[in-house]
Amino acid sequence: MREGWDVIVVGAGLAGLVAATELTDAGKRVLVLEQEPEQSVGGQAFWSFGGLFFVDSPEQRRMGVRDSHALALSDWMGTAAFDRPEDHWPRQWAEAYVDFAAGEKRSWLHAMGMRWFPVVGWAERGGHGAVGHGNSVPRFHVTWGTGPGVIEPFVRRAREAQAKGALQFGFRHRVDELIVENGAVVGVRGNRLAHDEVERGKPSSRGVVESFEKRAQAVIVCSGGIGGNHELVRKNWPARLGTPPAHMLCGVPAHVDGRMLGISENAGARLINRDRMWHYVEGIENWNPIWPMHAIRILPGPSSLWFDATGKRLPGPLWPGFDTLGTLEHLRRTGHDYSWFILDQQIIRREFALSGSEQNPDLTGKSWRQVAKRAIGKGAPAPVEAFKQRGKDFIVRDTLDELVAGMNALAGNTLLDVEHLRREIEARDLQFDNPYAKDSQVMAIHNARRYRGDKLVRVAKPHRILDPANGPLIAVRLNILTRKTLGGLETDLSGRVLGQDGQPLPGLYAAGEAAGFGGGGLHGYRALEGSFLGGCLFSGRVAGRAAAAAIA
């Protein structure tokens, strides 16, 4: 491995690739160090659904959505609920990111060849009032090609820079220390791990071959968060969300371990908002796992009935797809680590999508033929049907008595009473005899179908769940799955990491999830979705450009 690099980037995920390619475009020489094998380039983003947050996009306008910078900023700030002294930089990053999402973000990506599915999704719909959490309008733009489609332009640019000698990858290089001399970060030390041809996402060997030391004028930490380290998740679990779950599934590979956060802190960096995190409550155990405790998240439409482990219906606005952390907080108060969806074949066919590139072969493979089958087919999408038939968390029965018996058997208890559930479902079914209702979830369903995209491909036609014509009945046990770290290394608007004294730590930058997607937590307490990949893109671009401008 040659010496004389201008910048070392730690992490070959999306943020690291963006930072590295911005640096090479500026004529700098870059070394990218990554503890995982080469086949894992792109990191977590590869596995994602590829959702991106845009404001007033052509896709929105074609769907009849009227969005604006003012509306998006109002939604963001109502969702983030910044309230701490350390939110000084996160708030500024949030404002800058909304500017980016409403400005050049789409054109920048479009120029690199990125495209998006024409129907814009409506994630995190809120329901707490106009100044509260949630997206007032649909903003979730699914990238054509999903996660692999997001990382492709940056992998391509990195490989082109590599071919020119401007960039070098050091895969299997695990950084264990930041070198600090005279108060400045001047390089890294670590160990080269044994070669491993393990499949992308699977745990790789931690056998050490030799140690290394690399120096440069700047180091950019793009190492991700803590979602694969459940011990660290529980240690940082916020009291406002109740006690940490005894049982959690994992929405990210095991190497998302948070090591570099502690290493950076040991070098003098300031880590803020450790207790802000984003975990989903609609997790199902993957019947064909890649990493340990591998979970897939259901991306639900609004029609499934949601019950806690004892059979109590969740209160509004805690309906599917409305308020992730609000639902998590509510469910932690029940004393149980799981909850239930009850639905039917018509709902699962229309409203169930599974998060992740591998669970959406039509979008990932850019096949319009398969997309058409998803939209007009009689069955649910093939990956959903596979989970329905083979997933341990799915129960399919013809009658409610049989369904509830199966639910109790799966849970290993008798908490669910069939007559109580029948009363809830029958009362809900009666609400669909008119185009108006008193049930808030039913009103939300009617509101969803006023949006063209939801009516076309996302929300089932209102109907009675207990009508056998819409069967069979389906129950899904939902688990908590870990996903994103919302806090991180505090950075200024140039991506420079700040020390304990609030001043930039010379030579050190951070981007992506390691920096809370910008500033140490640009999402605040909650996210609007489509903003995790976008945060990696934005913060990686900022850090790469700033580092390039700062070094000789």
Side-chain angles (χ1 to χ4, degrees):
M1 185 175 291
R2 61 175 285 187
E3 301 298 331
W5 303 104
D6 295 316
V7 180
I8 296 170
V9 175
V10 181
L14 179 59
L17 292 173
V18 174
T21 52
E22 290 297 318
L23 283 158
T24 57
D25 281 357
K28 306 305 177 183
R29 296 164 298 169
V30 182
L31 173 62
V32 180
L33 299 178
E34 168 60 54
Q35 67 176 350
E36 293 307 299
E38 184 170 3
Q39 54 269 31
S40 287
V41 67
Q44 296 178 62
F46 175 89
W47 302 104
S48 75
F49 197 32
L52 292 176
F53 179 95
F54 294 132
V55 178
D56 193 26
S57 69
E59 290 80 13
Q60 286 176 299
R61 293 193 292 271
R62 283 193 289 268
M63 285 285 105
V65 175
R66 296 180 181 179
D67 200 4
S68 68
H69 178 276
L71 182 60
L73 185 61
S74 175
D75 286 349
W76 192 288
M77 292 303 175
T79 294
F82 295 119
D83 62 356
R84 299 173 175 176
E86 54 265 44
D87 284 331
H88 170 75
W89 288 112
R91 183 189 297 272
Q92 292 192 51
W93 270 88
E95 292 173 351
Y97 179 70
V98 174
D99 290 347
F100 180 59
E104 63 177 313
K105 177 182 177 183
R106 187 184 180 281
S107 60
W108 178 60
L109 297 172
H110 190 277
M112 286 184 253
M114 207 177 290
R115 299 293 184 268
W116 298 275
F117 189 62
V119 178
V120 183
W122 196 354
E124 290 297 301
R125 303 180 187 215
H128 297 281
V131 297
H133 166 69
N135 284 296
S136 298
V137 297
R139 295 192 178 103
F140 191 83
H141 296 69
V142 177
T143 302
W144 192 231
T146 66
V150 174
I151 68 171
E152 189 280 329
F154 302 98
V155 173
R156 182 181 70 244
R157 289 172 59 191
R159 294 300 189 190
E160 290 170 352
Q162 183 182 27
K164 296 174 182 177
L167 181 150
Q168 183 170 344
F169 284 106
F171 294 105
R172 304 300 284 156
H173 281 66
R174 184 185 67 197
V175 173
D176 300 319
E177 179 188 356
L178 295 174
I179 303 172
V180 181
E181 294 178 355
N182 299 318
V185 174
V186 297
V188 300
R189 294 190 183 99
N191 287 292
R192 184 167 67 85
L193 305 179
H195 178 74
D196 197 331
E197 296 186 2
V198 67
E199 180 184 348
R200 178 194 285 269
K202 289 187 176 293
S204 60
S205 165
R206 288 297 178 260
V208 173
V209 175
E210 61 183 0
S211 61
F212 68 85
E213 178 177 308
K214 302 295 175 185
R215 292 176 176 256
Q217 296 183 60
V219 174
I220 306 179
V221 176
C222 303
S223 55
I226 67 173
N229 186 338
H230 283 190
E231 180 181 352
L232 203 51
V233 169
R234 291 190 175 95
K235 179 181 178 181
N236 292 316
W237 190 269
R240 66 184 176 276
L241 294 182
T243 58
H247 173 71
M248 292 187 291
L249 299 177
C250 203
V252 295
H255 66 258
V256 186
D257 54 18
R259 289 181 71 256
M260 279 303 302
L261 296 176
I263 291 167
S264 300
E265 194 172 25
N266 289 339
R270 187 179 183 213
L271 189 61
I272 62 173
N273 297 319
R274 302 169 194 259
D275 65 331
R276 290 179 180 170
M277 50 185 69
W278 186 259
H279 306 308
Y280 292 110
V281 285
E282 310 99 332
I284 52 178
E285 190 170 328
N286 194 343
W287 62 270
N288 187 23
I290 297 172
W291 53 80
M293 298 180 289
H294 188 176
I296 299 296
R297 184 211 173 193
I298 295 171
L299 300 174
S303 300
S304 297
L305 279 167
W306 204 335
F307 297 93
D308 69 18
T310 68
K312 294 179 181 176
R313 188 177 173 193
L314 269 59
L318 306 182
W319 310 302
F322 279 72
D323 182 356
T324 293
L325 288 197
T327 306
L328 175 59
E329 180 179 355
H330 174 84
L331 291 175
R332 294 311 304 140
R333 293 198 296 267
T334 69
H336 298 276
D337 294 343
Y338 67 95
S339 59
W340 296 99
F341 276 169
I342 292 181
L343 59 149
D344 58 27
Q345 183 63 27
Q346 293 303 315
I347 294 174
I348 199 171
R349 181 186 74 82
R350 191 78 165 184
E351 297 193 9
F352 266 39
L354 301 175
S355 182
S357 55
E358 79 278 22
Q359 301 300 330
N360 294 277
D362 51 350
L363 297 168
T364 303
K366 303 181 180 180
S367 170
W368 284 110
R369 182 184 297 272
Q370 291 185 49
V371 168
K373 288 182 179 180
R374 178 196 291 245
I376 64 176
K378 293 184 178 181
V384 175
E385 285 290 343
F387 267 89
K388 192 182 82 172
Q389 296 169 17
R390 306 177 70 169
K392 66 179 294 184
D393 295 308
F394 283 72
I395 300 165
V396 183
R397 299 290 189 271
D398 290 326
T399 69
L400 186 61
D401 293 82
E402 295 171 321
L403 188 76
V404 174
M407 294 164 73
N408 280 330
L410 179 61
N413 55 47
T414 57
L415 292 175
L416 299 177
D417 176 70
V418 65
E419 292 309 318
H420 171 76
L421 290 176
R422 194 187 314 277
R423 284 195 299 273
E424 285 281 3
I425 300 171
E426 286 180 343
R428 178 263 190 197
D429 281 358
L430 286 171
Q431 295 288 297
F432 285 119
D433 286 347
N434 295 283
Y436 39 85
K438 72 174 184 180
D439 184 285
S440 297
Q441 184 178 3
V442 173
M443 288 190 279
I445 292 168
H446 288 311
N447 186 53
R449 284 180 61 84
R450 292 173 62 197
Y451 166 48
R452 188 183 309 159
D454 276 353
K455 188 170 184 179
L456 284 172
V457 300
R458 189 69 173 118
V459 180
K461 183 178 180 180
H463 64 274
R464 296 189 178 209
I465 287 178
L466 293 183
D467 184 343
N470 299 314
L473 294 172
I474 302 164
V476 187
R477 182 177 61 180
L478 306 171
N479 306 275
I480 296 167
L481 70 92
T482 59
R483 185 59 66 87
K484 295 299 179 187
T485 310
L486 299 188
L489 297 171
E490 186 179 26
T491 67
D492 65 11
L493 279 178
S494 295
R496 297 182 298 177
V497 174
L498 306 184
Q500 296 301 324
D501 60 357
Q503 297 302 308
L505 188 57
L508 188 61
Y509 298 76
E513 194 172 353
F517 302 95
L522 62 76
H523 294 97
Y525 286 95
R526 292 175 172 171
L528 288 174
E529 288 285 26
S531 50
F532 299 130
L533 295 176
C536 290
L537 293 166
F538 183 53
S539 60
R541 190 174 94 146
V542 167
R545 292 183 177 184
I551 63 179

